[in-house]
Amino acid sequence: MSQSKREQVVSHLRYIRQELREMHQGVMDDGLLPEAGEVRGVMAQMEALLELLEGKTPRKAKEVDA
């Protein structure tokens, strides 16, 4: 893995870890579940990290028919 890609991965992981810590702290301290948007944001970051590691181009979001 190139140094630049490694730095990007480390940056993504730090961000994700911080977001998850904040969510966990909110659950433990206040008993409040995170907002759905917060969870989606972290999931999007994890998806971006996976794509970075696998060298894939970002996928278009699939639309779900209700």
Side-chain angles (χ1 to χ4, degrees), residues 1-21:
M1 184 181 306
S2 71
Q3 187 64 27
S4 174
K5 187 179 266 191
R6 184 180 306 269
E7 290 170 2
Q8 287 178 317
V9 169
V10 168
S11 176
H12 278 296
L13 286 173
R14 284 188 177 142
Y15 175 79
I16 292 167
R17 183 174 59 188
Q18 182 61 36
E19 290 294 311
L20 291 173
R21 281 182 179 159

mmCIF file with all atom_site columns, all heavy atoms in Angstrom, residues 1-21:
data_model
loop_
_atom_site.group_PDB
_atom_site.id
_atom_site.type_symbol
_atom_site.label_atom_id
_atom_site.label_alt_id
_atom_site.label_comp_id
_atom_site.label_asym_id
_atom_site.label_entity_id
_atom_site.label_seq_id
_atom_site.pdbx_PDB_ins_code
_atom_site.Cartn_x
_atom_site.Cartn_y
_atom_site.Cartn_z
_atom_site.occupancy
_atom_site.B_iso_or_equiv
_atom_site.pdbx_formal_charge
_atom_site.auth_seq_id
_atom_site.auth_comp_id
_atom_site.auth_asym_id
_atom_site.auth_atom_id
_atom_site.pdbx_PDB_model_num
ATOM 1   N N   . MET A 1 1  ? 0.859   -1.177 0.000  1.00 0.00 ? 1  MET A N   1
ATOM 2   C CA  . MET A 1 1  ? 0.000   0.000  0.000  1.00 0.00 ? 1  MET A CA  1
ATOM 3   C C   . MET A 1 1  ? 0.898   1.230  0.000  1.00 0.00 ? 1  MET A C   1
ATOM 4   O O   . MET A 1 1  ? 1.836   1.322  0.777  1.00 0.00 ? 1  MET A O   1
ATOM 5   C CB  . MET A 1 1  ? -0.903  -0.037 1.237  1.00 0.00 ? 1  MET A CB  1
ATOM 6   C CG  . MET A 1 1  ? -1.891  1.075  1.306  1.00 0.00 ? 1  MET A CG  1
ATOM 7   S SD  . MET A 1 1  ? -2.956  1.102  2.764  1.00 0.00 ? 1  MET A SD  1
ATOM 8   C CE  . MET A 1 1  ? -3.673  -0.509 2.764  1.00 0.00 ? 1  MET A CE  1
ATOM 9   N N   . SER A 1 2  ? 0.599   2.162  -0.879 1.00 0.00 ? 2  SER A N   1
ATOM 10  C CA  . SER A 1 2  ? 1.416   3.363  -0.964 1.00 0.00 ? 2  SER A CA  1
ATOM 11  C C   . SER A 1 2  ? 1.243   4.217  0.290  1.00 0.00 ? 2  SER A C   1
ATOM 12  O O   . SER A 1 2  ? 0.250   4.105  1.016  1.00 0.00 ? 2  SER A O   1
ATOM 13  C CB  . SER A 1 2  ? 1.035   4.175  -2.199 1.00 0.00 ? 2  SER A CB  1
ATOM 14  O OG  . SER A 1 2  ? -0.236  4.764  -2.021 1.00 0.00 ? 2  SER A OG  1
ATOM 15  N N   . GLN A 1 3  ? 2.229   5.056  0.532  1.00 0.00 ? 3  GLN A N   1
ATOM 16  C CA  . GLN A 1 3  ? 2.200   5.907  1.721  1.00 0.00 ? 3  GLN A CA  1
ATOM 17  C C   . GLN A 1 3  ? 0.987   6.834  1.706  1.00 0.00 ? 3  GLN A C   1
ATOM 18  O O   . GLN A 1 3  ? 0.340   7.038  2.725  1.00 0.00 ? 3  GLN A O   1
ATOM 19  C CB  . GLN A 1 3  ? 3.495   6.721  1.815  1.00 0.00 ? 3  GLN A CB  1
ATOM 20  C CG  . GLN A 1 3  ? 3.623   7.500  3.100  1.00 0.00 ? 3  GLN A CG  1
ATOM 21  C CD  . GLN A 1 3  ? 3.717   6.627  4.341  1.00 0.00 ? 3  GLN A CD  1
ATOM 22  O OE1 . GLN A 1 3  ? 4.166   5.477  4.278  1.00 0.00 ? 3  GLN A OE1 1
ATOM 23  N NE2 . GLN A 1 3  ? 3.294   7.149  5.461  1.00 0.00 ? 3  GLN A NE2 1
ATOM 24  N N   . SER A 1 4  ? 0.662   7.384  0.525  1.00 0.00 ? 4  SER A N   1
ATOM 25  C CA  . SER A 1 4  ? -0.482  8.288  0.414  1.00 0.00 ? 4  SER A CA  1
ATOM 26  C C   . SER A 1 4  ? -1.785  7.566  0.754  1.00 0.00 ? 4  SER A C   1
ATOM 27  O O   . SER A 1 4  ? -2.623  8.094  1.488  1.00 0.00 ? 4  SER A O   1
ATOM 28  C CB  . SER A 1 4  ? -0.557  8.850  -1.004 1.00 0.00 ? 4  SER A CB  1
ATOM 29  O OG  . SER A 1 4  ? -1.717  9.613  -1.160 1.00 0.00 ? 4  SER A OG  1
ATOM 30  N N   . LYS A 1 5  ? -1.959  6.362  0.217  1.00 0.00 ? 5  LYS A N   1
ATOM 31  C CA  . LYS A 1 5  ? -3.172  5.598  0.504  1.00 0.00 ? 5  LYS A CA  1
ATOM 32  C C   . LYS A 1 5  ? -3.218  5.235  1.980  1.00 0.00 ? 5  LYS A C   1
ATOM 33  O O   . LYS A 1 5  ? -4.269  5.305  2.610  1.00 0.00 ? 5  LYS A O   1
ATOM 34  C CB  . LYS A 1 5  ? -3.234  4.337  -0.347 1.00 0.00 ? 5  LYS A CB  1
ATOM 35  C CG  . LYS A 1 5  ? -4.554  3.597  -0.206 1.00 0.00 ? 5  LYS A CG  1
ATOM 36  C CD  . LYS A 1 5  ? -4.609  2.371  -1.064 1.00 0.00 ? 5  LYS A CD  1
ATOM 37  C CE  . LYS A 1 5  ? -5.257  2.691  -2.373 1.00 0.00 ? 5  LYS A CE  1
ATOM 38  N NZ  . LYS A 1 5  ? -5.581  1.490  -3.158 1.00 0.00 ? 5  LYS A NZ  1
ATOM 39  N N   . ARG A 1 6  ? -2.075  4.875  2.552  1.00 0.00 ? 6  ARG A N   1
ATOM 40  C CA  . ARG A 1 6  ? -2.010  4.547  3.971  1.00 0.00 ? 6  ARG A CA  1
ATOM 41  C C   . ARG A 1 6  ? -2.442  5.740  4.823  1.00 0.00 ? 6  ARG A C   1
ATOM 42  O O   . ARG A 1 6  ? -3.203  5.593  5.775  1.00 0.00 ? 6  ARG A O   1
ATOM 43  C CB  . ARG A 1 6  ? -0.596  4.117  4.352  1.00 0.00 ? 6  ARG A CB  1
ATOM 44  C CG  . ARG A 1 6  ? -0.449  3.666  5.802  1.00 0.00 ? 6  ARG A CG  1
ATOM 45  C CD  . ARG A 1 6  ? 0.967   3.255  6.113  1.00 0.00 ? 6  ARG A CD  1
ATOM 46  N NE  . ARG A 1 6  ? 1.472   2.255  5.194  1.00 0.00 ? 6  ARG A NE  1
ATOM 47  C CZ  . ARG A 1 6  ? 1.376   0.946  5.377  1.00 0.00 ? 6  ARG A CZ  1
ATOM 48  N NH1 . ARG A 1 6  ? 0.799   0.480  6.445  1.00 0.00 ? 6  ARG A NH1 1
ATOM 49  N NH2 . ARG A 1 6  ? 1.866   0.107  4.492  1.00 0.00 ? 6  ARG A NH2 1
ATOM 50  N N   . GLU A 1 7  ? -1.995  6.929  4.450  1.00 0.00 ? 7  GLU A N   1
ATOM 51  C CA  . GLU A 1 7  ? -2.378  8.139  5.186  1.00 0.00 ? 7  GLU A CA  1
ATOM 52  C C   . GLU A 1 7  ? -3.879  8.392  5.071  1.00 0.00 ? 7  GLU A C   1
ATOM 53  O O   . GLU A 1 7  ? -4.516  8.807  6.041  1.00 0.00 ? 7  GLU A O   1
ATOM 54  C CB  . GLU A 1 7  ? -1.580  9.332  4.688  1.00 0.00 ? 7  GLU A CB  1
ATOM 55  C CG  . GLU A 1 7  ? -0.113  9.266  5.076  1.00 0.00 ? 7  GLU A CG  1
ATOM 56  C CD  . GLU A 1 7  ? 0.729   10.325 4.390  1.00 0.00 ? 7  GLU A CD  1
ATOM 57  O OE1 . GLU A 1 7  ? 0.177   11.148 3.624  1.00 0.00 ? 7  GLU A OE1 1
ATOM 58  O OE2 . GLU A 1 7  ? 1.947   10.320 4.629  1.00 0.00 ? 7  GLU A OE2 1
ATOM 59  N N   . GLN A 1 8  ? -4.441  8.139  3.899  1.00 0.00 ? 8  GLN A N   1
ATOM 60  C CA  . GLN A 1 8  ? -5.878  8.311  3.721  1.00 0.00 ? 8  GLN A CA  1
ATOM 61  C C   . GLN A 1 8  ? -6.645  7.318  4.587  1.00 0.00 ? 8  GLN A C   1
ATOM 62  O O   . GLN A 1 8  ? -7.657  7.678  5.204  1.00 0.00 ? 8  GLN A O   1
ATOM 63  C CB  . GLN A 1 8  ? -6.263  8.120  2.259  1.00 0.00 ? 8  GLN A CB  1
ATOM 64  C CG  . GLN A 1 8  ? -5.845  9.256  1.365  1.00 0.00 ? 8  GLN A CG  1
ATOM 65  C CD  . GLN A 1 8  ? -6.217  8.996  -0.074 1.00 0.00 ? 8  GLN A CD  1
ATOM 66  O OE1 . GLN A 1 8  ? -6.036  7.884  -0.573 1.00 0.00 ? 8  GLN A OE1 1
ATOM 67  N NE2 . GLN A 1 8  ? -6.732  10.007 -0.742 1.00 0.00 ? 8  GLN A NE2 1
ATOM 68  N N   . VAL A 1 9  ? -6.182  6.082  4.634  1.00 0.00 ? 9  VAL A N   1
ATOM 69  C CA  . VAL A 1 9  ? -6.839  5.054  5.448  1.00 0.00 ? 9  VAL A CA  1
ATOM 70  C C   . VAL A 1 9  ? -6.779  5.438  6.917  1.00 0.00 ? 9  VAL A C   1
ATOM 71  O O   . VAL A 1 9  ? -7.783  5.363  7.626  1.00 0.00 ? 9  VAL A O   1
ATOM 72  C CB  . VAL A 1 9  ? -6.196  3.670  5.203  1.00 0.00 ? 9  VAL A CB  1
ATOM 73  C CG1 . VAL A 1 9  ? -6.674  2.661  6.234  1.00 0.00 ? 9  VAL A CG1 1
ATOM 74  C CG2 . VAL A 1 9  ? -6.498  3.184  3.798  1.00 0.00 ? 9  VAL A CG2 1
ATOM 75  N N   . VAL A 1 10 ? -5.618  5.871  7.378  1.00 0.00 ? 10 VAL A N   1
ATOM 76  C CA  . VAL A 1 10 ? -5.469  6.269  8.775  1.00 0.00 ? 10 VAL A CA  1
ATOM 77  C C   . VAL A 1 10 ? -6.407  7.428  9.101  1.00 0.00 ? 10 VAL A C   1
ATOM 78  O O   . VAL A 1 10 ? -7.072  7.438  10.141 1.00 0.00 ? 10 VAL A O   1
ATOM 79  C CB  . VAL A 1 10 ? -4.002  6.643  9.085  1.00 0.00 ? 10 VAL A CB  1
ATOM 80  C CG1 . VAL A 1 10 ? -3.877  7.326  10.436 1.00 0.00 ? 10 VAL A CG1 1
ATOM 81  C CG2 . VAL A 1 10 ? -3.122  5.398  9.042  1.00 0.00 ? 10 VAL A CG2 1
ATOM 82  N N   . SER A 1 11 ? -6.504  8.384  8.188  1.00 0.00 ? 11 SER A N   1
ATOM 83  C CA  . SER A 1 11 ? -7.384  9.528  8.397  1.00 0.00 ? 11 SER A CA  1
ATOM 84  C C   . SER A 1 11 ? -8.846  9.094  8.492  1.00 0.00 ? 11 SER A C   1
ATOM 85  O O   . SER A 1 11 ? -9.579  9.526  9.393  1.00 0.00 ? 11 SER A O   1
ATOM 86  C CB  . SER A 1 11 ? -7.210  10.521 7.251  1.00 0.00 ? 11 SER A CB  1
ATOM 87  O OG  . SER A 1 11 ? -8.105  11.591 7.381  1.00 0.00 ? 11 SER A OG  1
ATOM 88  N N   . HIS A 1 12 ? -9.269  8.226  7.575  1.00 0.00 ? 12 HIS A N   1
ATOM 89  C CA  . HIS A 1 12 ? -10.642 7.715  7.612  1.00 0.00 ? 12 HIS A CA  1
ATOM 90  C C   . HIS A 1 12 ? -10.906 6.961  8.913  1.00 0.00 ? 12 HIS A C   1
ATOM 91  O O   . HIS A 1 12 ? -11.949 7.142  9.546  1.00 0.00 ? 12 HIS A O   1
ATOM 92  C CB  . HIS A 1 12 ? -10.905 6.768  6.437  1.00 0.00 ? 12 HIS A CB  1
ATOM 93  C CG  . HIS A 1 12 ? -11.250 7.448  5.154  1.00 0.00 ? 12 HIS A CG  1
ATOM 94  N ND1 . HIS A 1 12 ? -12.375 8.209  4.982  1.00 0.00 ? 12 HIS A ND1 1
ATOM 95  C CD2 . HIS A 1 12 ? -10.610 7.462  3.967  1.00 0.00 ? 12 HIS A CD2 1
ATOM 96  C CE1 . HIS A 1 12 ? -12.417 8.667  3.745  1.00 0.00 ? 12 HIS A CE1 1
ATOM 97  N NE2 . HIS A 1 12 ? -11.348 8.239  3.102  1.00 0.00 ? 12 HIS A NE2 1
ATOM 98  N N   . LEU A 1 13 ? -9.976  6.120  9.302  1.00 0.00 ? 13 LEU A N   1
ATOM 99  C CA  . LEU A 1 13 ? -10.173 5.331  10.523 1.00 0.00 ? 13 LEU A CA  1
ATOM 100 C C   . LEU A 1 13 ? -10.252 6.216  11.766 1.00 0.00 ? 13 LEU A C   1
ATOM 101 O O   . LEU A 1 13 ? -11.061 5.962  12.657 1.00 0.00 ? 13 LEU A O   1
ATOM 102 C CB  . LEU A 1 13 ? -9.055  4.300  10.685 1.00 0.00 ? 13 LEU A CB  1
ATOM 103 C CG  . LEU A 1 13 ? -9.139  3.099  9.751  1.00 0.00 ? 13 LEU A CG  1
ATOM 104 C CD1 . LEU A 1 13 ? -7.888  2.244  9.892  1.00 0.00 ? 13 LEU A CD1 1
ATOM 105 C CD2 . LEU A 1 13 ? -10.379 2.281  10.042 1.00 0.00 ? 13 LEU A CD2 1
ATOM 106 N N   . ARG A 1 14 ? -9.438  7.244  11.828 1.00 0.00 ? 14 ARG A N   1
ATOM 107 C CA  . ARG A 1 14 ? -9.498  8.165  12.972 1.00 0.00 ? 14 ARG A CA  1
ATOM 108 C C   . ARG A 1 14 ? -10.852 8.859  13.041 1.00 0.00 ? 14 ARG A C   1
ATOM 109 O O   . ARG A 1 14 ? -11.437 8.998  14.114 1.00 0.00 ? 14 ARG A O   1
ATOM 110 C CB  . ARG A 1 14 ? -8.375  9.192  12.889 1.00 0.00 ? 14 ARG A CB  1
ATOM 111 C CG  . ARG A 1 14 ? -7.054  8.628  13.280 1.00 0.00 ? 14 ARG A CG  1
ATOM 112 C CD  . ARG A 1 14 ? -5.993  9.697  13.367 1.00 0.00 ? 14 ARG A CD  1
ATOM 113 N NE  . ARG A 1 14 ? -4.748  9.096  13.809 1.00 0.00 ? 14 ARG A NE  1
ATOM 114 C CZ  . ARG A 1 14 ? -3.567  9.426  13.363 1.00 0.00 ? 14 ARG A CZ  1
ATOM 115 N NH1 . ARG A 1 14 ? -3.447  10.389 12.468 1.00 0.00 ? 14 ARG A NH1 1
ATOM 116 N NH2 . ARG A 1 14 ? -2.487  8.826  13.813 1.00 0.00 ? 14 ARG A NH2 1
ATOM 117 N N   . TYR A 1 15 ? -11.343 9.298  11.888 1.00 0.00 ? 15 TYR A N   1
ATOM 118 C CA  . TYR A 1 15 ? -12.638 9.964  11.852 1.00 0.00 ? 15 TYR A CA  1
ATOM 119 C C   . TYR A 1 15 ? -13.746 9.012  12.289 1.00 0.00 ? 15 TYR A C   1
ATOM 120 O O   . TYR A 1 15 ? -14.585 9.365  13.122 1.00 0.00 ? 15 TYR A O   1
ATOM 121 C CB  . TYR A 1 15 ? -12.921 10.492 10.437 1.00 0.00 ? 15 TYR A CB  1
ATOM 122 C CG  . TYR A 1 15 ? -14.296 11.086 10.311 1.00 0.00 ? 15 TYR A CG  1
ATOM 123 C CD1 . TYR A 1 15 ? -14.557 12.369 10.780 1.00 0.00 ? 15 TYR A CD1 1
ATOM 124 C CD2 . TYR A 1 15 ? -15.340 10.362 9.755  1.00 0.00 ? 15 TYR A CD2 1
ATOM 125 C CE1 . TYR A 1 15 ? -15.824 12.914 10.678 1.00 0.00 ? 15 TYR A CE1 1
ATOM 126 C CE2 . TYR A 1 15 ? -16.610 10.894 9.649  1.00 0.00 ? 15 TYR A CE2 1
ATOM 127 C CZ  . TYR A 1 15 ? -16.842 12.173 10.115 1.00 0.00 ? 15 TYR A CZ  1
ATOM 128 O OH  . TYR A 1 15 ? -18.103 12.690 10.024 1.00 0.00 ? 15 TYR A OH  1
ATOM 129 N N   . ILE A 1 16 ? -13.741 7.807  11.742 1.00 0.00 ? 16 ILE A N   1
ATOM 130 C CA  . ILE A 1 16 ? -14.767 6.825  12.082 1.00 0.00 ? 16 ILE A CA  1
ATOM 131 C C   . ILE A 1 16 ? -14.707 6.482  13.561 1.00 0.00 ? 16 ILE A C   1
ATOM 132 O O   . ILE A 1 16 ? -15.736 6.412  14.244 1.00 0.00 ? 16 ILE A O   1
ATOM 133 C CB  . ILE A 1 16 ? -14.617 5.555  11.216 1.00 0.00 ? 16 ILE A CB  1
ATOM 134 C CG1 . ILE A 1 16 ? -14.954 5.876  9.758  1.00 0.00 ? 16 ILE A CG1 1
ATOM 135 C CG2 . ILE A 1 16 ? -15.495 4.426  11.733 1.00 0.00 ? 16 ILE A CG2 1
ATOM 136 C CD1 . ILE A 1 16 ? -14.551 4.794  8.772  1.00 0.00 ? 16 ILE A CD1 1
ATOM 137 N N   . ARG A 1 17 ? -13.508 6.281  14.081 1.00 0.00 ? 17 ARG A N   1
ATOM 138 C CA  . ARG A 1 17 ? -13.350 5.955  15.492 1.00 0.00 ? 17 ARG A CA  1
ATOM 139 C C   . ARG A 1 17 ? -13.895 7.070  16.377 1.00 0.00 ? 17 ARG A C   1
ATOM 140 O O   . ARG A 1 17 ? -14.599 6.820  17.357 1.00 0.00 ? 17 ARG A O   1
ATOM 141 C CB  . ARG A 1 17 ? -11.875 5.688  15.809 1.00 0.00 ? 17 ARG A CB  1
ATOM 142 C CG  . ARG A 1 17 ? -11.642 5.279  17.249 1.00 0.00 ? 17 ARG A CG  1
ATOM 143 C CD  . ARG A 1 17 ? -10.216 4.888  17.488 1.00 0.00 ? 17 ARG A CD  1
ATOM 144 N NE  . ARG A 1 17 ? -9.320  5.992  17.162 1.00 0.00 ? 17 ARG A NE  1
ATOM 145 C CZ  . ARG A 1 17 ? -8.002  5.887  17.138 1.00 0.00 ? 17 ARG A CZ  1
ATOM 146 N NH1 . ARG A 1 17 ? -7.418  4.734  17.368 1.00 0.00 ? 17 ARG A NH1 1
ATOM 147 N NH2 . ARG A 1 17 ? -7.255  6.935  16.869 1.00 0.00 ? 17 ARG A NH2 1
ATOM 148 N N   . GLN A 1 18 ? -13.607 8.320  16.023 1.00 0.00 ? 18 GLN A N   1
ATOM 149 C CA  . GLN A 1 18 ? -14.101 9.453  16.810 1.00 0.00 ? 18 GLN A CA  1
ATOM 150 C C   . GLN A 1 18 ? -15.626 9.523  16.780 1.00 0.00 ? 18 GLN A C   1
ATOM 151 O O   . GLN A 1 18 ? -16.273 9.726  17.813 1.00 0.00 ? 18 GLN A O   1
ATOM 152 C CB  . GLN A 1 18 ? -13.501 10.763 16.298 1.00 0.00 ? 18 GLN A CB  1
ATOM 153 C CG  . GLN A 1 18 ? -13.933 11.969 17.084 1.00 0.00 ? 18 GLN A CG  1
ATOM 154 C CD  . GLN A 1 18 ? -13.519 11.901 18.543 1.00 0.00 ? 18 GLN A CD  1
ATOM 155 O OE1 . GLN A 1 18 ? -12.453 11.398 18.877 1.00 0.00 ? 18 GLN A OE1 1
ATOM 156 N NE2 . GLN A 1 18 ? -14.375 12.382 19.410 1.00 0.00 ? 18 GLN A NE2 1
ATOM 157 N N   . GLU A 1 19 ? -16.199 9.347  15.599 1.00 0.00 ? 19 GLU A N   1
ATOM 158 C CA  . GLU A 1 19 ? -17.654 9.375  15.481 1.00 0.00 ? 19 GLU A CA  1
ATOM 159 C C   . GLU A 1 19 ? -18.293 8.264  16.315 1.00 0.00 ? 19 GLU A C   1
ATOM 160 O O   . GLU A 1 19 ? -19.294 8.492  17.004 1.00 0.00 ? 19 GLU A O   1
ATOM 161 C CB  . GLU A 1 19 ? -18.077 9.237  14.015 1.00 0.00 ? 19 GLU A CB  1
ATOM 162 C CG  . GLU A 1 19 ? -17.759 10.447 13.173 1.00 0.00 ? 19 GLU A CG  1
ATOM 163 C CD  . GLU A 1 19 ? -18.558 11.657 13.583 1.00 0.00 ? 19 GLU A CD  1
ATOM 164 O OE1 . GLU A 1 19 ? -19.783 11.550 13.723 1.00 0.00 ? 19 GLU A OE1 1
ATOM 165 O OE2 . GLU A 1 19 ? -17.953 12.731 13.759 1.00 0.00 ? 19 GLU A OE2 1
ATOM 166 N N   . LEU A 1 20 ? -17.734 7.067  16.260 1.00 0.00 ? 20 LEU A N   1
ATOM 167 C CA  . LEU A 1 20 ? -18.286 5.957  17.032 1.00 0.00 ? 20 LEU A CA  1
ATOM 168 C C   . LEU A 1 20 ? -18.118 6.183  18.532 1.00 0.00 ? 20 LEU A C   1
ATOM 169 O O   . LEU A 1 20 ? -19.005 5.836  19.313 1.00 0.00 ? 20 LEU A O   1
ATOM 170 C CB  . LEU A 1 20 ? -17.627 4.636  16.606 1.00 0.00 ? 20 LEU A CB  1
ATOM 171 C CG  . LEU A 1 20 ? -18.004 4.164  15.205 1.00 0.00 ? 20 LEU A CG  1
ATOM 172 C CD1 . LEU A 1 20 ? -17.160 2.949  14.825 1.00 0.00 ? 20 LEU A CD1 1
ATOM 173 C CD2 . LEU A 1 20 ? -19.482 3.847  15.107 1.00 0.00 ? 20 LEU A CD2 1
ATOM 174 N N   . ARG A 1 21 ? -17.014 6.772  18.933 1.00 0.00 ? 21 ARG A N   1
ATOM 175 C CA  . ARG A 1 21 ? -16.827 7.091  20.357 1.00 0.00 ? 21 ARG A CA  1
ATOM 176 C C   . ARG A 1 21 ? -17.896 8.066  20.840 1.00 0.00 ? 21 ARG A C   1
ATOM 177 O O   . ARG A 1 21 ? -18.444 7.905  21.931 1.00 0.00 ? 21 ARG A O   1
ATOM 178 C CB  . ARG A 1 21 ? -15.450 7.699  20.598 1.00 0.00 ? 21 ARG A CB  1
ATOM 179 C CG  . ARG A 1 21 ? -14.346 6.708  20.651 1.00 0.00 ? 21 ARG A CG  1
ATOM 180 C CD  . ARG A 1 21 ? -13.039 7.393  20.939 1.00 0.00 ? 21 ARG A CD  1
ATOM 181 N NE  . ARG A 1 21 ? -11.962 6.429  21.021 1.00 0.00 ? 21 ARG A NE  1
ATOM 182 C CZ  . ARG A 1 21 ? -10.699 6.718  20.875 1.00 0.00 ? 21 ARG A CZ  1
ATOM 183 N NH1 . ARG A 1 21 ? -10.318 7.953  20.630 1.00 0.00 ? 21 ARG A NH1 1
ATOM 184 N NH2 . ARG A 1 21 ? -9.778  5.785  20.964 1.00 0.00 ? 21 ARG A NH2 1
#
